[in-house]
Amino acid sequence: DVVKPRSPDAHKGDFGRLLVIGGSEIYSGAPAFVALAALRTGVDLVFVAAPEPAATSIASFSPNLITIRLVGDHLSERNLELLRTHIQRSTCVALGPGLATHKETISTVAKVLDTLSEYKKPALVDADAIKAMGTIKQPAGFPVVVTPHAGEFQVLSGRLPSTDMQIRCEEARSLATVLGGTVLLKGHVDVISDGARVKLNRTGNPAMTVGGTGDVLSGVVAGLMAMGVPEFKASVAGAFINGAAGDLARVELGDHLAPSDLIHLIPKIMNEPMLHARLRASP
């Protein structure tokens, strides 16, 4: 029920404007995967703000991508005013994919988080941006989803998550309360909590250990948020959709997946939500 019906008189922008802030001189694929996955969820407009070398590379990936070229080869404070303008115009921001960990980048991310709080802008915080969030010892002042793997969870909480599922759920719930948002703890079984509710997602498979599938997950969740889906609901649905797309891709391709394989299957999972149940039930 996260798929909204579209009125015949709908206009461009009615179904969201997502801003992806990511990329560096080393990483350009991550923000592109986030953006392309978000487009496949149904977002009308996706903008990728990336340092100039990464933006040039991202623009060549697909004509579907709109890039905002930031000054320099990594995120810095020189770009804050430009980012503020685009944050204001967006319905959601995905912050972190491929940013790398330059000292200046981490301090700039902290200022971007302040801007998100100022405008109360929904955001997904992932990857390298989590490191900056870990230095801020107070709840987020904006609607937020944080998507850590085990190591990033340790950055935020000070300890690795337990392998005991009951304890792991309580740890995710506790961190969500501290952050004042929703935590999507990635793993063999994803744990999603907003501090009050806890949901588990069991879609997905070992072939999805390939780099980039977490970026696809971020794109799906942020895309749903950009279209107005509440953070917890977007996280639960996004985890299911991403994992189910991976399961379907594995049926078709075996253990030889690329992130783009999942992206192409997102609409199929969203249009046929029972497809995964039939897939799991088949011999």
Side-chain angles (χ1 to χ4, degrees):
D1 60 350
V2 296
V3 180
K4 293 183 178 181
R6 302 204 172 206
S7 168
D9 60 356
H11 299 284
K12 185 190 298 182
D14 287 354
F15 290 84
R17 299 171 61 98
L18 175 66
L19 173 64
V20 181
I21 304 174
S24 62
E25 73 274 24
I26 301 173
Y27 305 110
S28 57
F33 289 141
V34 173
L36 289 169
L39 284 170
R40 285 299 186 185
T41 67
V43 178
D44 281 351
L45 294 164
V46 180
F47 300 85
V48 183
E52 190 168 359
T56 299
S57 179
I58 292 165
S60 71
F61 288 170
S62 169
N64 297 309
L65 299 179
I66 305 169
T67 55
I68 301 164
R69 296 171 188 264
L70 304 179
V71 176
D73 59 8
H74 61 271
L75 182 65
S76 70
E77 292 188 19
R78 289 178 289 174
N79 298 290
L80 282 173
E81 285 307 310
L82 177 61
L83 289 174
R84 284 176 65 91
T85 299
H86 287 281
I87 288 171
Q88 283 182 281
R89 296 173 180 170
S90 302
T91 56
C92 181
V93 176
L95 176 63
L99 278 179
T101 55
H102 292 276
K103 184 176 180 180
E104 187 178 23
T105 296
I106 297 300
S107 63
T108 303
V109 168
K111 289 181 169 58
V112 172
L113 293 171
D114 288 340
T115 302
L116 294 171
S117 181
E118 178 184 346
Y119 295 123
K120 306 300 180 187
K121 192 68 62 172
L124 178 140
V125 177
D126 188 21
D128 296 321
I130 288 177
K131 297 176 178 66
M133 197 171 202
T135 66
I136 302 172
K137 305 302 182 182
Q138 60 185 26
F142 54 93
V144 65
V145 172
V146 185
T147 57
H149 55 54
E152 292 163 343
F153 186 92
Q154 184 177 24
V155 168
L156 292 169
S157 69
R159 61 183 179 183
L160 287 169
S162 174
T163 56
D164 180 282
M165 188 53 64
Q166 185 173 354
I167 298 173
R168 194 179 183 94
C169 289
E170 186 53 41
E171 290 171 337
R173 187 201 302 270
S174 177
L175 180 59
T177 300
V178 170
L179 296 178
T182 294
V183 169
L184 197 173
L185 174 56
K186 296 179 285 192
H188 172 61
V189 177
D190 302 315
V191 181
I192 306 104
S193 179
D194 62 356
R197 299 167 288 183
V198 176
K199 290 283 188 181
L200 302 179
N201 173 66
R202 300 181 186 277
T203 63
N205 60 79
M208 293 174 66
T209 56
V210 63
T213 56
D215 300 311
V216 176
L217 169 63
S218 292
V220 176
V221 176
L224 293 173
M225 291 168 65
M227 291 187 286
V229 179
E231 298 79 52
F232 181 73
K233 189 174 184 179
S235 299
V236 173
F240 173 84
I241 292 166
N242 183 66
D247 288 341
L248 183 56
R250 193 186 195 193
V251 168
E252 296 181 357
L253 300 170
D255 292 333
H256 315 286
L257 304 187
S260 53
D261 298 323
L262 276 64
I263 291 170
H264 293 308
L265 292 170
I266 289 169
K268 191 162 190 174
I269 297 298
M270 293 184 72
N271 291 330
E272 293 187 71
M274 294 305 296
L275 176 62
H276 188 263
R278 296 198 300 271
L279 178 67
R280 285 288 174 95
S282 63

